[in-house]
């Protein structure tokens, strides 16, 4: 309880900002005479959204499945390729420049192609999420596994430890903070990828919902959909941040002390 | 009789063709077991390069290094090593970092618990065993790193400017710690430094390296009694050693 009060007190400025923001939004609609089909008031979004709650929750589940599935696949592939490229000079000269050049392509441009190849189902969306998440993960992992200090490298060489042992005792934990930079970046990309994939071709999901209700001149429902998407995005990002705290608590506390 | 460590015509050139940089040598050095030898020279003279080649952590361009008549052709593992930037990892406590040395070597941690406590006590860190490196001052971190380098009782200790980033007072304190531990365990120490005073205070022999490409200018045996405390440092003989070394480097225009 004490902790909660402290948290409220430390966040009061932010809370005040949000309250102010929504109040301003609410009252500027009648004040500036903004038509409802352009921008609905928050209260209306809430009321209309509540009426459509069943659909919204179901679609959130659909989009969440695409997002999480794609993210996990990207995580496994990204870490795997990242480690492989870091430890193989052949891959570093072939696959690495290839990945860097693909990174420059807006991955979402592939979305229509995937839809035409794989249809309207789950798979093309998952592939697109994998695509937008994979590159930040793999590139940060390569950076992470290549930035061990010279001193630590010489130190473990002087112990005669096997490569496997060194990997798990030194290289992996040392690389985790930089890896998480990629994981977090990918977590932000994941919902974006899923939503856009749904815009392009689908029959369910929040992206589908938003594009349909916007076409029906129902911005109130579109905002309700956006609200659920935001919650989904925050949950994914929050989960990754929590994992960071659990896996590398020493890194978080280091940042705090250095501040 | 062969010497404990024999370095013969050792030379290092980095890069090739137009980018070639002659970093060190050729130089020949002999070191006896239990000696505390300082490699003293201006920055960029290749003294760290020499140390890494002796440890087998860096390939030489020509020449050879032998330990007890055995040729070094890969990383030597019966050594303890310490750098200017310490090798403590941030996710382990001080004790955990000392255990890291043992774990990597596949030694049984249980056998070493007393020794870990004793070595920490000898550098006044026994109360900080469970602290993380970032909670310690720079000087305490280097003392912890020293324990990490020493815990497996290596026959050879390689120190690469381990006190380079510390303030004058802390350096003084840690020098005394080093000396104490060296006098007890008598490992062979190769100490790379650019501090003349430090070299004279700690070593039984100082090897003076010229500016790049580093060659041996001369060797000076330091004939002073151990432990070399403040009293020894104020003695005329100590000051004479320091002065004579200063003159050598003055000749090269380094100081």
């Amino acid at each position: 309880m004490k902790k909660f009060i402290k948290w409220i007190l430390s966040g009061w400025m932010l809370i005040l900002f949000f309250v102010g923001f929504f109040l301003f939004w609410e009252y500027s609609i009648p004040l500036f005479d903004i038509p409802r089909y352009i921008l609905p008031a928050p209260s209306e979004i809430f009321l209309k959204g509540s009426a459509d709650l069943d659909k919204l929750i179901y679609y959130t589940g659909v989009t969440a499945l695409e997002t999480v599935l794609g993210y996990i696949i990207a995580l496994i592939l990204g870490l795997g390729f990242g480690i492989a490229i870091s430890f193989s000079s052949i891959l570093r000269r072939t696959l690495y420049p290839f990945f860097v050049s693909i990174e420059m392509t807006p991955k979402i441009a592939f979305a229509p192609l995937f839809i035409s190849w794989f249809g309207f189902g789950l798979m093309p969306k998952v592939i697109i999420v994998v695509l937008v998440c994979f590159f930040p993960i793999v590139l940060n992992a390569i950076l992470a596994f290549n930035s061990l200090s010279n001193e630590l490298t010489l130190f473990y060489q002087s112990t005669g430890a096997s490569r496997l042992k060194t990997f798990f005792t030194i290289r992996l934990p040392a690389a985790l903070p930089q890896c998480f930079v990629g994981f977090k970046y990918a977590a932000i990309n994941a919902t974006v990828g899923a939503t856009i994939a749904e815009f392009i071709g689908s029959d369910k999901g929040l992206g589908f919902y938003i594009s349909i209700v916007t076409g029906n001149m129902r911005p109130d429902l579109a905002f309700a959909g956006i609200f659920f998407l935001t919650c989904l995005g925050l949950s994914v990002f929050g989960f990754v941040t929590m994992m960071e705290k659990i896996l590398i608590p020493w890194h978080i506390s280091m940042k705090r002390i250095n501040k | 009789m062969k010497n404990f460590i024999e370095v013969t015509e050792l030379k290092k050139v980095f890069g090739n063709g137009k980018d070639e940089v002659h970093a060190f040598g050729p130089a020949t050095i002999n070191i006896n077991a239990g000696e505390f030898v300082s490699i003293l020279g201006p920055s960029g003279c290749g003294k760290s390069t020499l140390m890494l080649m002796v440890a087998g952590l860096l390939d030489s361009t020509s020449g050879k290094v032998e330990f007890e008549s055995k040729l070094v052709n890969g990383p030597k593992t019966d050594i303890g090593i310490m750098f200017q930037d310490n090798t403590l990892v941030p996710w382990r406590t001080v004790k955990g970092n000392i255990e890291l040395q043992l774990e990597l070597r596949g030694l049984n941690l249980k056998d070493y618990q007393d020794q870990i406590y004793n070595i920490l006590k000898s550098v006044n860190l026994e109360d900080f065993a469970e602290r993380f490196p970032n909670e310690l001052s720079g000087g305490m971190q280097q003392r912890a790193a020293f324990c990490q380098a020493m815990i497996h009782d290596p026959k050879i200790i390689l120190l690469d400017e381990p006190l380079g980033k510390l303030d004058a007072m802390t350096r003084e304190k840690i020098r005394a710690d080093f000396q104490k531990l060296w006098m007890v365990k008598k490992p062979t120490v190769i100490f790379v430094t650019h501090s003349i005073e430090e070299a004279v205070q700690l070593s039984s022999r100082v090897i003076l390296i010229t500016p790049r490409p580093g060659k041996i200018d001369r060797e000076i045996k330091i004939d002073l009694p151990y432990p070399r405390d403040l009293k020894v440092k104020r003695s005329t003989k100590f000051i004479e050693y320091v002065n004579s070394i200063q003159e050598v480097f003055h000749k090269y225009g380094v100081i």
Side-chain angles (χ1 to χ4, degrees), chain B:
Chain B
M1 219 206 65
K2 283 274 216 176
N3 288 292
F4 183 56
I5 303 172
E6 289 198 353
V7 175
T8 316
E9 293 292 313
L10 198 65
K11 183 179 163 187
K12 182 70 190 180
V13 179
F14 287 108
N16 46 35
K18 247 192 281 174
D19 303 325
E20 202 173 272
V21 179
H22 186 179
F24 182 80
T28 298
I29 303 166
N30 294 318
I31 297 172
N32 295 319
E35 256 195 298
F36 196 123
V37 177
S38 284
I39 311 287
L40 180 64
S43 55
C45 75
K47 50 192 190 298
S48 301
T49 307
L50 166 65
M51 194 198 85
L52 292 179
M53 285 191 292
V54 169
L57 294 168
L58 184 71
D59 292 335
S60 60
T61 309
S62 63
K64 59 179 178 177
V65 179
E66 285 170 296
F67 278 80
E68 296 175 307
S69 304
K70 277 197 288 285
L71 194 70
V72 173
N73 54 6
K76 276 200 68 67
T77 55
D78 51 352
I79 62 170
I81 198 162
M82 199 179 155
F83 302 94
Q84 184 169 349
D85 291 309
N86 66 59
T87 49
L88 304 173
V89 295
W91 60 89
R92 281 171 176 246
T93 60
V94 168
K95 185 160 174 268
N97 267 289
I98 297 173
E99 287 173 341
L100 181 64
Q101 174 83 264
L102 304 168
E103 282 176 38
L104 287 172
R105 289 170 184 278
L107 297 166
N108 190 351
L109 296 183
K110 275 187 202 143
D111 301 340
Y112 281 88
Q113 293 306 310
D114 289 347
Q115 289 180 51
I116 292 171
Y117 178 80
N118 290 338
I119 198 166
L120 281 172
K121 200 171 160 65
S122 72
V123 296
N124 304 322
L125 277 180
E126 72 274 22
D127 295 334
F128 296 89
E130 300 305 326
R131 294 301 185 93
F132 285 90
N134 64 343
E135 298 174 298
L136 307 183
S137 69
M140 289 157 98
Q141 286 180 12
Q142 280 312 66
R143 262 142 60 200
F146 185 67
C147 297
Q148 186 191 50
M150 291 282 282
I151 189 65
H152 55 300
D153 247 334
K155 278 194 284 185
I156 302 138
I157 310 247
L158 303 170
L159 306 169
D160 187 0
E161 290 184 42
L163 310 179
K165 282 188 174 167
L166 305 177
D167 61 280
M169 278 187 181
T170 313
R171 291 178 78 129
E172 201 75 47
K173 170 80 183 82
I174 298 181
R175 277 181 216 169
D177 288 340
F178 280 9
Q179 189 162 278
K180 199 165 70 184
L181 274 160
W182 175 70
M183 286 172 67
V184 176
K185 302 207 165 177
K186 279 286 178 180
T188 308
V189 180
I190 300 178
F191 182 67
V192 169
T193 181
H194 49 219
S195 160
I196 296 170
E197 216 194 56
E198 206 159 84
V200 174
Q201 189 188 352
L202 292 172
S203 356
S204 45
R205 187 154 53 109
V206 181
I207 297 174
L208 273 58
I209 308 287
T210 68
R212 199 179 65 210
K215 291 199 177 63
I216 295 171
D217 178 90
R218 71 191 67 185
E219 296 182 11
I220 299 175
K221 226 176 151 57
I222 309 293
D223 202 5
L224 292 168
Y226 286 99
R228 293 175 184 161
D229 50 15
L230 275 177
K231 216 172 87 191
V232 175
K233 284 186 77 179
R234 291 203 195 96
S235 67
T236 352
K237 229 175 156 187
F238 186 92
I239 293 162
E240 273 170 16
Y241 279 125
V242 172
N243 286 344
S244 66
I245 294 173
Q246 272 175 347
E247 266 162 38
V248 173
F249 287 121
H250 190 74
K251 192 181 73 193
Y252 285 112
V254 177
I255 47 175

Side-chain angles (χ1 to χ4, degrees), chain A residues 94-105 135 138-139 142:
Chain A
T94 51
L95 219 49
Y96 181 49
F98 174 67
F99 283 164
V100 171
S101 49
I102 294 195
E103 168 64 4
M104 302 305 148
T105 321
F135 290 94
V138 77
L139 294 179
I142 294 167

Side-chain angles (χ1 to χ4, degrees), chain A residues 28-35:
Chain A
S28 60
I29 303 285
L31 193 67
F32 300 115
D33 217 8
I34 298 168

